[in-house]
Structures are given as C-alpha cells and as structure tokens.
C-alpha cells in the first residue's frame, strides 16, 4: 500500500445575505455525505503518480485557507483511504477532460485547522524514475500550493501519522460566531489560536467545501448534528461577540445555548 499527497484550494467565501430567514442550508439533497468524513477526491492529473493509486492506498490532502485578510498557515485537510478508483469527466477551459475519481473508504477523515509547517518541512516525496527521495518543500520560497500542484508519492508517511496522533492528543477549540458580522473577528481569533499551537474547528474550514464555499443546499438537521457534535467534543468554545450574534433563529443562538458555561470563552468586540 502506498501514500500520496495532493493540494486542494480553500478560500473563505463571504455570502452576500443579511436576512436571518435566508433559506440556505434548509433543503435536503439526495447526497448527504461529506459532513463527518470526505466522500471522494478528484484530480485531472492523468500521469505519474496519480495513475498508480489503487484500492487500499491513502491520499493526504493539504490546503492553505485564503482570506481577504491574508492566508492562514498551511494545514492538513483530510486523508482519504481509497475504496476504489474510477473515471469521470470534468469541465476545463477547452471543454471536458477525463479525471481520476478516488472514492473514500470507511476510516477516511477530515482534520481540524492546525498548523502543519513542521510536518511539511520534513515530508519527503519520490519522483518518477528516481531512486532517492527529496524534500517536498526544500526552501521557504515555495508555498504548499506550488509544491503540490500535482499529486506526489510520499516516501515517509510516518511523519503524517505522527502529526495526526498529535492532533488527537491536543483536541480542538470551536469557534462560534455570526457569519454576517463576525467573520473578521473570528478570523483574527483563529489566527491567534493557530499561532499558539491550538487546533481549531471553524466552519469556514471544517465544513465540506460544497457548504463553506459554494453554499449548496443541505439538510439543516444534518448540519445541526455535526455542529452540536463538535461543540460537545471541543475542549472549549470561543464565542465571537458581534451585534447580530445570538439573534433568534440563527445558528449562533443554537450554538450558544448548547455551549456549557465552563467551556465558554467570550471574545469581546473591544478585544
């Protein structure tokens, strides 16, 4: 069995709605997967090493969340244990192109937002036709996105397993905020926590991209379940105070009512 590493683009999407009765997140699509574990990964890369991925292999996904206030540090987004490999057509500028689709097996997982600089600095990959491995990021001049424009074969996956084990030991902090008027303050809090070595559950990273970035319709009961589960299992919750936090009918109101007082850290607007 082999381990591979790839990059996925992540961005902080700012929806343009202000109505607390907005219908987003209220419908129930036929595909309800993706909340607690990734369902698949797709790459348009057809050659080495993407063409070597087989059932039982693992794909590790890294990303770096881009925001209007600057990028957050690179982090491990997910690991996908491959159940099977198939093909699908994807749209490109010239029309359609055939891509590999790696369907996730049980045990695949998302990870909280946590700095992965040290992990990336020692990760080694093996290029096609080379007997010796090389560092994935040999210097500070390359971003993780540049280093992982294409999928790579990992030579020392034990580095990633140690990183994951460390995340499990540290637990995570939950960020409760109002998307309408608390996002910037939430970002500042997340960045401070990451710089202090804390893993974070922040929905702009920790929910599937189809929700966090594309705002697709999902079942509100499923969304409730995943948010409340992470509030219950978080080490503590940082409540981002903003004028519209806790309004009736908002998710922030539901979250606040769920947070045990002893786990609640209030982040005031005055800092």
């Amino acid at each position: 069995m082999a381990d591979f590493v790839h990059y996925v683009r992540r961005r902080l999407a700012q929806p343009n709605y202000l109505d607390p009765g907005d219908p987003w997140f209220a419908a129930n699509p036929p595909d309800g997967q993706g909340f607690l574990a990734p369902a698949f990964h797709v790459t348009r890369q057809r050659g080495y090493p993407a063409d070597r991925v087989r059932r039982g292999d693992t794909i590790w996904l890294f990303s770096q969340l881009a925001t209007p206030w600057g990028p957050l540090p690179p982090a491990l987004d997910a690991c996908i244990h491959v159940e099977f490999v198939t093909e699908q057509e994807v749209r490109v500028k010239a029309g359609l192109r055939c891509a590999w689709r790696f369907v996730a097996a049980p045990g695949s997982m998302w990870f909280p937002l946590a700095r992965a600089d040290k992990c990336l600095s020692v990760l080694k990959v093996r290029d096609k036709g080379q007997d010796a491995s090389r560092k994935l990021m040999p210097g500070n001049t390359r971003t993780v996105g540049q280093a992982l424009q294409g999928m790579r074969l990992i030579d020392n996956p034990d580095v990633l397993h140690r990183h994951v084990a460390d995340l499990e030991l540290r637990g995570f902090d939950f960020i409760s905020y109002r998307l309408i008027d608390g996002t910037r303050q939430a970002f500042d809090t997340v960045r401070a926590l990451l710089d202090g070595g804390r893993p974070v559950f922040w929905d702009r990273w920790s929910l599937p991209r189809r929700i966090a970035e594309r705002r697709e319709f999902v079942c509100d009961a499923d969304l409730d379940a995943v948010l409340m589960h992470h509030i219950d299992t978080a080490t503590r919750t940082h409540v981002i105070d903003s004028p519209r936090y806790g309004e009736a009918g908002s998710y922030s109101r539901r979250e606040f009512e769920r947070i045990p007082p002893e786990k609640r850290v209030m982040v005031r607007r005055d800092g």
Side-chain angles (χ1 to χ4, degrees):
M1 296 182 183
D3 290 75
F4 302 83
V5 62
H6 204 193
Y7 180 81
V8 289
R9 293 180 64 186
R10 300 297 307 268
R11 63 184 180 88
L12 190 148
Q14 287 277 53
N16 297 317
Y17 70 88
L18 294 175
D19 181 5
D22 190 287
W24 292 103
F25 310 139
N28 190 3
D31 180 10
Q33 299 182 30
F35 279 106
L36 296 180
F40 62 89
H41 177 59
V42 174
T43 179
R44 290 177 291 179
Q45 181 181 351
R46 297 290 296 174
Y48 177 91
D51 59 353
R52 304 289 182 91
V53 180
R54 298 290 185 269
R55 177 186 176 93
D57 291 342
T58 299
I59 302 171
W60 302 84
L61 301 179
F62 280 89
S63 191
Q64 188 165 15
L65 187 66
T67 84
W69 313 290
L72 289 175
L76 180 62
D77 192 11
C79 78
I80 293 179
H81 302 300
V82 179
E83 180 73 26
F84 61 89
V85 182
T86 185
E87 293 180 282
Q88 75 174 52
E89 289 186 330
V90 295
R91 291 197 174 276
V92 294
K93 290 183 179 179
L96 295 174
R97 181 177 177 181
C98 198
W100 295 117
R101 179 184 176 96
F102 309 106
V103 178
S108 302
M109 65 185 74
W110 300 114
F111 297 105
L113 182 55
R115 297 192 73 113
D117 315 65
K118 291 182 181 179
C119 175
L120 286 166
S121 69
V122 296
L123 199 62
K124 294 182 179 180
V125 295
R126 190 175 297 273
D127 295 326
K128 185 176 183 180
Q130 299 297 314
D131 294 330
S133 61
R134 63 171 179 84
K135 281 192 173 183
L136 172 67
M137 300 182 69
N140 296 325
T141 57
R142 303 179 73 193
T143 67
V144 62
Q146 291 172 325
L148 288 174
Q149 290 183 40
M151 188 177 290
R152 305 290 184 188
L153 175 65
I154 302 174
D155 198 53
N156 57 342
D158 56 299
V159 168
L160 294 166
H161 291 290
R162 288 197 299 270
H163 179 71
V164 172
D166 180 59
L167 289 178
E168 292 174 348
L169 284 174
R170 283 189 282 164
F172 64 91
D173 289 5
F174 187 98
I175 305 297
S176 179
Y177 73 110
R178 193 71 194 276
L179 186 63
I180 293 172
D181 61 355
T183 302
R184 173 58 196 269
Q185 194 174 3
F187 167 82
D188 291 339
T189 301
V190 167
R191 184 167 56 185
L193 289 168
L194 294 175
D195 289 345
R198 289 297 305 159
V200 177
F201 182 100
W202 186 29
D203 62 359
R204 298 301 90 193
W205 168 276
S206 301
L207 291 181
R209 288 184 293 281
R210 64 190 177 95
I211 304 169
E213 297 177 20
R214 298 195 299 272
R215 296 188 68 223
E216 295 179 11
F217 287 102
V218 300
C219 175
D220 56 350
D222 290 342
L223 184 59
D224 274 348
V226 73
L227 292 175
M228 299 308 147
H229 167 74
H230 283 92
I231 286 174
D232 292 344
T233 54
T235 301
R236 57 188 174 179
T237 295
H238 300 261
V239 176
I240 308 300
D241 183 33
S242 67
R244 300 189 65 174
Y245 183 86
E247 284 185 337
S250 69
Y251 269 105
S252 61
R253 179 68 169 268
R254 291 183 232 181
E255 290 173 0
F256 188 82
E257 292 173 348
R258 183 78 172 216
I259 303 164
E262 65 273 14
K263 289 187 177 182
R264 193 182 297 155
V265 179
M266 299 300 298
V267 182
R268 303 295 182 185
R269 276 170 272 171
D270 57 5

